[in-house]
Amino acid sequence: GQQVMQIPQYQHVQEGEDFTTYCNSSTTLSNIQWYKQRPGGHPVFLIQLVKSGEVKKQKRLTFQFGEAKKNSSLHITATQTTDVGTYFCAAWNRDDKIIFGKGTRLHILP
Amino acid sequence: DAGITQSPRHKVTETGTPVTLRCHQTENHRYMYWYRQDPGHGLRLIHYSYGVKDTDKGEVSDGYSVSRSKTEDFLLTLESATSSQTSVYFCAISDGGDRDYGYTFGSGTRLTVV
């Protein structure tokens, strides 16, 4: 079935460094969503991208949707301890159900 | 998030016993979902509902059943719990099932089967 692959699985960064996670699909996606889950918490919706080449920003977070709509990225500038958590991408499959990537776990080193 | 609650938050049960988890929403959303989250597997869909008494299977539905007799309640039942069903269970809701909105997740139920 359709899958969305996320890389890396884990990322350790020094506080203040940038962080990027990537989401890739072998098939064209109609849209892509990003979620954040804090340790011990539940996933929280961050944003949705729909258009080819779309870029959206939320403060230090920049989300991009590839031109071919097969990949997406989330970039965090100057990470802070509040950015700790797991970031998931999600996309709709052919059965009209949303499927989640396995996530990238971000650790911040003080 | 306000508007969706799961109960219980934690449960320990013995192998072979039935277990029911409850998801309650006050948003009047049509779509409700049950996911399980396990290390290395991410979020996997168990069952979902697209209306009262309308439910369908997800990718990991074996050993689980669901019921939705009211818009606001979606119950997940493990008929005979097994250790492989030890997991964190999340309920999620969405408005209209369309693609314009994200899911809202409950706080989760941590289930341990011993």
Side-chain angles (χ1 to χ4, degrees), chain A residues 9 30-31 33 35 37 41-45 48 88 92-93 96-98 100-102, chain B residues 1 35 37 40-43 45 48 57 90 97-103 105-107:
Chain A
Q9 188 176 1
S30 58
N31 67 348
Q33 299 181 346
Y35 292 76
Q37 183 176 20
H42 57 277
V44 175
F45 175 72
Q48 174 169 274
F88 295 94
W92 295 90
N93 67 7
D96 225 23
K97 299 185 189 66
I98 198 165
F100 287 84
K102 294 185 178 180
Chain B
D1 283 31
Y35 285 88
Q37 186 174 40
H41 292 280
L43 289 156
L45 181 64
Y48 68 101
K57 296 178 180 179
F90 287 103
D98 59 42
R99 304 175 177 211
D100 293 337
Y101 303 98
Y103 286 9
F105 283 84
S107 298

Side-chain angles (χ1 to χ4, degrees), chain A residues 4-70:
Chain A
V4 286
M5 308 299 294
Q6 269 189 268
I7 53 171
Q9 188 176 1
Y10 301 97
Q11 183 82 58
H12 293 78
V13 299
Q14 291 286 143
E15 187 175 6
E17 291 183 340
D18 293 356
F19 160 78
T20 304
T21 174
Y22 300 90
C23 187
N24 300 302
S25 172
S26 59
T27 59
T28 302
L29 304 171
S30 58
N31 67 348
I32 196 151
Q33 299 181 346
W34 285 93
Y35 292 76
K36 176 184 177 181
Q37 183 176 20
R38 295 182 184 274
H42 57 277
V44 175
F45 175 72
L46 294 177
I47 208 161
Q48 174 169 274
L49 304 171
V50 178
K51 299 176 183 177
S52 168
E54 189 170 14
V55 177
K56 288 188 178 180
K57 293 189 176 184
Q58 290 180 350
K59 297 183 181 179
R60 295 177 294 102
L61 277 61
T62 302
F63 304 84
Q64 290 189 313
F65 202 8
E67 294 289 342
K69 300 183 73 174
K70 290 185 176 182

Side-chain angles (χ1 to χ4, degrees), chain B residues 34-107:
Chain B
W34 277 107
Y35 285 88
R36 61 178 290 176
Q37 186 174 40
D38 305 287
H41 292 280
L43 289 156
R44 293 183 292 175
L45 181 64
I46 305 171
H47 281 280
Y48 68 101
S49 169
Y50 44 95
V52 173
K53 291 187 169 54
D54 292 324
T55 64
D56 206 349
K57 296 178 180 179
E59 62 178 302
V60 290
S61 59
D62 288 349
Y64 302 94
S65 62
V66 289
S67 66
R68 191 168 178 198
S69 58
K70 297 184 291 185
T71 299
E72 56 266 36
D73 290 325
F74 193 31
L75 304 180
L76 176 70
T77 297
L78 290 65
E79 302 292 345
S80 178
T82 66
S83 59
S84 64
Q85 294 176 311
T86 292
S87 186
V88 179
Y89 292 85
F90 287 103
C91 177
I93 60 175
S94 70
D95 186 13
D98 59 42
R99 304 175 177 211
D100 293 337
Y101 303 98
Y103 286 9
T104 300
F105 283 84
S107 298

